[in-house]
Amino acid sequence: VVSASLDTTVRVWDTTGLRRKNVRSGPPTSQNGRDAELFGGMDAVVKYVLEGHDRGVNWAAFHPTQSLIASGADDRSLKLWRMSDTRAWEVDSMRGHSNNVS
């Protein structure tokens, strides 16, 4: 999972620790009437924090076939990031928009 934030970072999350909870068919509710969680609590951990945007990041997405992430931000830039099993780094930065990239 990848997330974008107004704190100027992109985060890649390792979700292998998530455990699927048993939920009966129908809408998920708990005994007290609130929605039941489908996944366990704090089992997802940040694998990489990608820093390089100068302003808040509006979106980030994985490439469908390569180990790349694209992100767009309020600094009017697009960035490409590459990932390996042990690290992630900025590959390129593209500028040219006259306003925020969303």
Side-chain angles (χ1 to χ4, degrees), residues 10-85:
V10 173
R11 294 177 191 256
V12 179
W13 297 83
D14 180 354
T15 59
T16 57
L18 291 177
R19 295 178 307 277
R20 183 94 172 150
K21 288 186 177 180
N22 292 328
V23 177
R24 290 179 282 144
S25 61
T29 57
S30 63
Q31 290 178 347
N32 62 7
R34 286 191 255 158
D35 289 343
E37 294 181 69
L38 292 178
F39 296 98
M42 299 296 288
D43 296 327
V45 295
V46 175
K47 188 171 183 178
Y48 307 118
V49 177
L50 307 176
E51 298 175 311
H53 282 289
D54 296 326
R55 293 196 168 190
V57 184
N58 296 315
W59 61 267
F62 285 110
H63 187 280
T65 60
Q66 297 181 26
S67 295
L68 290 172
I69 295 172
S71 61
D74 287 343
D75 60 5
R76 300 182 287 182
S77 72
L78 295 164
K79 290 191 180 286
L80 284 180
W81 313 85
R82 183 168 299 282
M83 292 187 320
S84 71
D85 288 338

